[in-house]
Amino acid sequence: MIALDGVRKRFAGATTAAVDGVSLDVAAGEICVLIGPSGCGKTTTMRMINRMIDPDEGRILVDGRDIARVDPVELRRGIGYVIQQVGLFPHLTIAENVATVPRLLGWSAARVTQRVDELLALVDMDPALYRARFPRELSGGQKQRVGVARALAADPPLLLMDEPFGALDPLTRAALQDEFLRLLRELSKTIVFVTHDMDEALKLGTRIAVLREGRVVQYDTPAQLLAHPADAFVESFVGEDRALKRLALMTASRYAVPMALDAGAHRLQAGASLRDALALLLQDGARPLAVIDTRDVVVGGLDLQTIRAALAAAPSM
Amino acid sequence: MLAEAWRYLVAHPAPFATALAVHVALSAAALAIAAFVAIPAAIAANRRPALAIALANSANVGRTLPSLAVLALVMPVLGTGFVPSLLALTLLALPPIVQNTLAGLRSVEADIVDAARGMGMTAREILRRVELPIALPAIFAGLRTAAVQVVSGAVLAAFIGGGGLGDFITAGIAMMALPQLLVGAIPVTLLALGVDFGFGALQRRLTPAGLRA
């Protein structure tokens, strides 16, 4: 879907390149997360995909087309774009904001109206209630919902998102991340997602590219990144608690084993993570837990040994 | 005193009507020309930082020049009459319109323009659909200031033979005839107040609902 090949960019007046020979492939339907400290070139890399910035060297293919030969305006109308500050148009209603790209594409009024309502419902904003409101009347989380709806309006196959949930409080951020994942299960989009928050990257990413000083240090699945950080930089960036982060990615039911459980054992839903299991174990004097399915049937047990074994046995998923 | 002014007015209806018409025509023409020059100039300068600074600075200097000084500057070059007066008043109207248009366009947050560009709007579409609507209240505030300045400043046109209600005022001063002076001064004041009120109402009406506080 997207291929970056030896992409390099140095801004006028800068001594070093912002992006220094980045090559990345993103398959259709993947969420590619670009992560790294400030100034690592993650935003510049993303902005070159819709030609907000043109590279000095290298090639970028979107859907097999070399974008250097595509008119930037036409290219951008086919790519969803979401930024941290949302950038809603303050003088236009929510409906008019969402309708931006369809109108640029010359859709009929009836089709635009229908699409706007559909999208507002999709991002969990009641169209009847919010259609005619203005951006200043919305909370930060609501604004970003509208931002996402606006980016999805013309149903682009590809979405670029620059720290879309970065300015939100932790609760709202987590809620929007969950909803975003749910939304993507229905829509199937290819996404390039910029963040500096490793937890967010691990939660959303199909693959994560860790950038440092304009180069990709490691490009891997979340599980691989946690289990096998390529170097000390990635390891420190992933965090001291990477064992816990790995556990958060592992589902309890998959690692539960048959074992003797007493009747009073704590019960854990099958869909919970091993991190949840560990928390419960620590709280409860390490007594084995019963993992139950949706019908309350015990599918197996977990204790400290099984969790350690799971961590050792599962370098990748 | 007012009664005397009224009697003077009734006795000289034709000169008064002419003076009023000239005054309004002079003001309206000066404002229109200034708007047609200042607004596009500010728009053009907005995307070029060096030009914007130069324009803002000259507008600042322009605003500090007293109206009378502008007339004094114009007269030796263009002589006297309607056209030199029109030019002087246009120069008077330019700075507030330039300043407010620049300020209005600058008030559009960078993120909003970035989002617009990222969604595939052309520079023209961004200007027409995003920047100008957001800057509109500020642009109208500039027009309002300029209009009031021009209407009151047009009194000075009488000094260089441009006509208008200033004729009554200068004549009144020269002849120490207060009633005649008031026949010029009162309508000018009312005109300036009316223009201020009218533009204010227009400004409120043209402010997009989403931007109203």
Side-chain angles (χ1 to χ4, degrees):
Chain A
M1 182 82 196
I2 308 172
L4 278 75
D5 183 16
V7 173
R8 190 183 302 269
K9 176 72 191 181
R10 207 184 78 184
F11 290 107
T15 49
T16 56
V19 173
D20 196 4
V22 165
S23 299
L24 282 176
D25 282 292
V26 185
E30 273 191 330
I31 304 180
C32 164
V33 176
L34 305 177
I35 193 169
S38 0
C40 70
K42 52 190 191 293
T43 296
T44 305
T45 302
M46 186 205 85
R47 288 169 72 85
M48 286 193 283
I49 297 170
N50 65 350
R51 295 197 62 184
M52 295 293 275
I53 299 172
D54 281 325
D56 301 328
E57 281 174 45
R59 254 180 3 144
I60 300 175
L61 304 180
V62 172
D63 241 350
R65 286 197 301 175
D66 184 344
I67 61 165
R69 285 198 275 273
V70 181
D71 171 49
V73 166
E74 185 216 332
L75 179 75
R76 291 176 197 143
R77 288 180 186 182
I79 300 178
Y81 186 67
V82 184
I83 55 175
Q84 184 178 354
Q85 280 74 23
V86 197
L88 292 182
F89 303 137
H91 58 298
L92 300 180
T93 62
I94 300 310
E96 287 166 335
N97 266 284
V98 175
T100 306
V101 179
R103 281 197 182 149
L104 290 173
L105 295 174
W107 290 18
S108 72
R111 188 169 165 216
V112 171
T113 310
Q114 192 200 337
R115 182 67 182 153
V116 166
D117 283 3
E118 211 174 282
L119 281 159
L120 286 178
L122 188 73
V123 297
D124 215 17
M125 307 262 297
D126 182 1
L129 207 59
Y130 290 104
R131 208 187 282 128
R133 296 263 181 103
F134 286 100
R136 65 178 158 87
E137 300 173 272
L138 304 186
S139 69
Q142 289 174 325
K143 278 183 193 156
Q144 198 50 279
R145 282 166 199 269
V146 176
V148 171
R150 184 171 70 169
L152 292 171
D155 205 15
L158 172 59
L159 234 60
L160 304 181
M161 308 181 84
D162 188 3
E163 307 209 24
F165 311 131
L168 307 173
D169 66 85
L171 277 178
T172 312
R173 188 187 312 152
L176 252 67
Q177 288 167 346
D178 291 338
E179 268 186 63
F180 184 58
L181 283 173
R182 167 186 63 76
L183 208 111
L184 289 179
R185 277 197 290 276
E186 295 167 29
L187 299 175
S188 167
K189 300 280 175 195
T190 308
I191 291 163
V192 176
F193 191 107
V194 169
T195 184
H196 62 260
D197 175 356
M198 187 47 90
D199 290 314
E200 183 167 73
L202 294 170
K203 184 172 175 177
L204 300 179
T206 320
R207 283 198 285 169
I208 300 172
V210 183
L211 277 85
R212 183 192 192 186
E213 289 165 8
R215 295 165 197 265
V216 177
V217 188
Q218 187 170 3
Y219 185 35
D220 254 322
T221 61
Q224 277 290 349
L225 203 69
L226 289 169
H228 303 294
D231 62 12
F233 170 76
V234 177
E235 194 172 346
S236 74
F237 202 74
V238 168
E240 299 297 333
D241 60 342
R242 64 189 175 95
L244 280 178
K245 284 172 173 151
R246 284 178 65 201
L247 289 178
L249 296 175
M250 298 156 113
T251 319
S253 60
R254 233 181 109 169
Y255 297 94
V257 292
M259 64 168 70
L261 297 159
D262 37 293
H266 261 293
R267 298 157 92 84
L268 187 70
Q269 294 290 335
S273 71
L274 288 189
R275 184 178 166 151
D276 301 330
L278 184 64
L280 212 53
L281 282 170
L282 290 174
Q283 213 175 66
D284 198 34
R287 269 199 311 165
L289 301 169
V291 179
I292 53 165
D293 65 14
T294 46
R295 285 162 302 168
D296 265 7
V297 179
V298 176
V299 296
L302 282 171
D303 58 15
L304 283 177
Q305 270 81 25
T306 52
I307 291 177
R308 287 190 59 184
L311 212 49
S316 61
M317 285 186 292
Chain B
M1 188 67 73
L2 281 176
E4 269 180 71
W6 179 250
R7 277 197 293 278
Y8 182 90
L9 180 60
V10 175
H12 306 82
F16 177 78
T18 309
L20 184 65
V22 168
H23 201 101
V24 170
L26 207 51
S27 306
L31 188 67
I33 296 168
F36 273 107
V37 174
I39 296 173
I43 290 171
N46 186 42
R47 286 192 204 286
R48 300 168 186 84
L51 196 58
I53 291 169
L55 197 63
N57 283 340
S58 29
N60 278 335
V61 172
R63 274 198 100 159
T64 58
L65 278 182
S67 322
L68 201 56
V70 176
L71 286 176
L73 286 172
V74 165
M75 196 166 64
V77 185
L78 288 173
T80 57
F82 185 86
V83 175
S85 304
L86 178 61
L87 187 81
L89 289 173
T90 305
L91 288 177
L92 201 61
L94 286 171
I97 305 177
V98 165
Q99 282 179 330
N100 279 274
T101 307
L102 277 177
L105 291 172
R106 234 181 289 122
S107 77
V108 183
E109 285 166 44
D111 299 316
I112 294 173
V113 177
D114 185 72
R117 208 159 78 85
M119 284 188 290
M121 284 196 190
T122 62
R124 214 191 158 80
E125 282 162 344
I126 294 173
L127 180 68
R128 217 168 51 82
R129 297 188 188 210
V130 180
E131 292 176 306
L132 282 181
I134 295 174
L136 203 61
I139 295 174
F140 260 84
L143 287 174
R144 182 180 177 182
T145 308
V148 173
Q149 271 188 24
V150 164
V151 167
S152 46
V155 166
L156 301 173
F159 286 117
I160 58 169
L165 293 166
D167 281 349
F168 292 102
I169 299 173
T170 42
I173 291 170
M175 294 185 288
M176 303 273 265
L178 200 52
Q180 198 177 342
L181 189 150
L182 290 179
V183 167
I186 292 172
V188 166
T189 310
L190 292 176
L191 211 55
L193 286 173
V195 161
D196 188 43
F197 181 81
F199 269 93
L202 205 57
Q203 185 186 344
R204 273 188 299 280
R205 270 199 54 178
L206 290 177
T207 301
L211 297 178
R212 278 178 210 155

